Amino acid sequence: MSVSEQDLQDFRQEVSAWMRDNKPADPGFLLPQSFMEVGTEQQLDFLREWQHKVWQAGYLGMAWPKEYGGGGLSPIFQSIADQEMRRHGVPICFNVIGLGWAGPLINDIGSDEQKARYLKGILSAEDIWCQGFSEPDHGSDLGSAQTRAVREADEYVINGTKIWTTMGNYARYMILLARTNPQTERKYDGLSFFLAPMDVPGIDAVPIRKVTGEYGFTETFFKDARIPAESLMGGEGQGWKIAMKTLQYERGAEAGAAGGLAFERIVIDDMIEQLRDMSRDGAPLLSDPVTRDHLVRLIMEEKSIALGDKRAAIAPLTTDYPFSLQLSSKLRITEYARRMRQFAIAQQGAAGSLYVGDEQARQGGFWQRAYFNSFSATIGGGTSQVQANIIAEHILGLPK
């Protein structure tokens, strides 16, 4: 079906009007700044209701197949809907691991039965998903994962520990990387990938309190937990390949996400606004040439990220280093966000040491909280150091 420019303009106006009319009022409690800070039932209920409402209105999963709860439309419609969500500053769609990683993976390589079983629940927010990749003793070295999955009849028995499991205590399903064969010559060949239910005996997700005072991550313990053998995706030993494909979605190098906002929109204009009424040595802070120079550099960087996303979709503009923008996207965006928020705090002087809950904190400690929360994104999906290695090896062709 061809789509005219007028069709897209009309759709944008439709979405904008809906977002304006349906944006929730301030609930009176602290909302998460990203999907990695959902730590209370109150927050969860609020965000679940919001995501369900967006999906029912037709603005989530717009490019996913109709028969599985999606809209069956061109991805351009979802892109426009997401842009309007950002512009109107609506709440996040919190089920990001389902919407952005598990869902696209199932859509891409899953069976028709798996699509029918899982996709609609992801979109509606009925089924929350989490990720079981990282382990306490192995950091970013996923290939050394030691959580075991042993086949017994029509079940797999799982034993081991996963960490940094976002919303593990609320999730119904986990994308799980576990070792089915410890004897392979290459450690990667012994791993398998599961769409594992979380509501079975033997799984205990223990919340982890972060430096912000909030929760959102868990450490997840498996002790003789039995999951159906049909939870296996692909065949035994194919886990590493499937996990790497999943990480491509997580790092922004593959399309297919259902849409929605994963993070509260915090941009350079927000920071400039909070600096307007600040002074240094009796003069407005924004008149200081050094401050202005730093701001201009940050503005340029934020603009380059936005333009880079557009450039990535135009093949002739990326022939020098194909996929360079997609593979570097996570590193560029997360490190920029961290530095921008750090700069905002530094301009507050002594007040920068105050936090949420202190009556004297500027903007209620918003920037301090945002800065601490930014580290989740620089670690999850592969640390910034891992991302730099990916760029060096896969884009620049440097040796390992």
Side-chain angles (χ1 to χ4, degrees):
M1 181 184 69
S2 62
V3 180
S4 69
E5 188 62 34
Q6 187 61 52
D7 290 335
L8 297 179
Q9 290 179 10
D10 292 345
F11 177 70
R12 185 181 294 277
Q13 292 176 0
E14 171 197 317
V15 178
S16 179
W18 190 91
M19 295 296 165
R20 182 186 63 244
D21 295 342
N22 290 276
K23 179 180 178 179
D26 184 343
F29 55 84
L30 205 61
L31 284 174
Q33 293 180 327
S34 83
F35 71 103
M36 292 177 282
E37 284 90 54
V38 181
T40 69
E41 294 283 351
Q42 190 178 44
Q43 292 174 332
L44 180 69
D45 290 344
F46 178 91
L47 293 174
R48 193 196 293 268
E49 181 179 343
W50 168 248
Q51 181 179 314
H52 190 272
K53 188 173 184 177
V54 174
W55 170 67
Q56 278 196 318
Y59 302 135
L60 195 64
M62 300 189 72
W64 286 15
K66 270 190 173 182
E67 60 266 37
Y68 305 125
L73 300 171
S74 166
I76 187 63
F77 287 97
Q78 187 64 63
S79 179
I80 290 172
D82 291 349
Q83 291 168 15
E84 291 304 310
M85 289 185 214
R86 282 191 291 271
R87 194 169 70 85
H88 285 273
V90 298
I92 63 172
C93 287
F94 75 106
N95 198 13
V96 170
I97 294 173
L99 296 170
W101 310 339
L105 181 73
I106 294 167
N107 248 326
D108 194 3
I109 66 172
S111 65
D112 290 342
E113 181 184 355
Q114 288 171 330
K115 294 174 185 178
R117 180 184 302 175
Y118 299 121
L119 292 182
K120 185 176 180 180
I122 289 173
L123 293 170
S124 69
E126 179 182 355
D127 297 337
I128 301 171
W129 284 70
C130 64
Q131 182 184 36
F133 282 16
S134 298
E135 295 184 1
D137 297 327
H138 302 290
S140 295
D141 185 10
L142 293 184
S144 295
Q146 295 301 309
T147 295
R148 288 293 313 278
V150 178
R151 180 73 181 256
E152 290 187 6
D154 59 353
E155 295 179 319
Y156 280 92
V157 182
I158 313 295
N159 282 282
T161 307
K162 297 293 180 177
I163 199 164
W164 312 125
T165 313
T166 304
M167 289 190 291
N169 52 327
Y170 299 129
R172 184 175 181 183
Y173 296 106
M174 169 187 281
I175 46 175
L176 171 66
L177 190 64
R179 189 165 298 280
T180 48
N181 186 350
Q183 306 300 327
T184 56
E185 183 176 343
R186 293 177 70 252
K187 60 184 180 181
Y188 307 105
D189 296 337
L191 295 168
S192 298
F193 194 99
F194 299 89
L195 305 176
M198 293 287 285
D199 55 351
V200 299
I203 301 180
D204 186 21
V206 180
I208 298 173
R209 187 174 186 267
K210 300 187 295 184
V211 67
T212 60
E214 300 172 84
Y215 294 84
F217 298 133
T218 69
E219 185 169 9
T220 307
F221 300 91
F222 298 84
K223 185 175 181 181
D224 295 330
R226 293 179 174 272
I227 64 174
E230 62 187 19
S231 301
L232 178 70
M233 193 170 207
E236 285 195 7
Q238 296 181 13
W240 181 254
K241 179 181 178 181
I242 298 174
M244 291 305 99
K245 187 171 185 63
T246 306
L247 288 176
Q248 295 287 5
Y249 296 119
E250 183 175 354
R251 294 164 179 166
E254 293 282 353
L261 302 184
F263 300 88
E264 180 179 352
R265 184 174 184 265
I266 303 173
V267 296
I268 192 71
D269 288 347
D270 299 321
M271 183 177 71
I272 293 173
E273 193 60 36
Q274 76 115 6
L275 299 180
R276 288 191 186 281
D277 64 345
M278 296 175 63
S279 61
R280 180 179 294 163
D281 297 329
L285 180 62
L286 290 180
S287 69
D288 176 63
V290 176
T291 300
R292 292 169 68 89
D293 183 63
H294 281 299
L295 282 174
V296 168
R297 291 174 184 271
L298 289 169
I299 291 169
M300 291 170 62
E301 187 172 358
E302 182 171 288
K303 188 66 173 178
S304 73
I305 289 172
L307 292 175
D309 290 341
K310 293 182 178 180
R311 179 185 173 193
I314 305 173
L317 298 182
T318 60
T319 53
D320 47 353
Y321 291 105
F323 302 108
S324 59
L325 290 169
Q326 295 95 322
L327 288 173
S328 64
S329 175
K330 178 185 182 297
L331 177 64
R332 291 182 289 110
I333 292 171
T334 58
E335 284 297 327
Y336 165 74
R338 179 187 62 78
R339 286 186 285 101
M340 185 262 281
R341 297 168 190 193
Q342 185 177 32
F343 179 80
I345 296 171
Q347 306 319 298
Q348 295 182 14
S353 64
L354 305 179
Y355 195 63
V356 175
D358 193 304
E359 292 183 359
Q360 303 302 314
R362 291 188 62 86
Q363 291 186 261
F366 172 87
W367 289 98
Q368 287 80 350
R369 181 182 178 225
Y371 172 65
F372 283 137
N373 279 330
S374 69
F375 285 93
S376 297
T378 64
I379 296 171
T383 64
S384 291
Q385 293 77 13
V386 167
Q387 299 304 310
N389 281 342
I390 290 172
I391 293 168
E393 295 169 17
H394 297 283
I395 298 176
L396 301 178
L398 299 178
K400 287 184 177 291

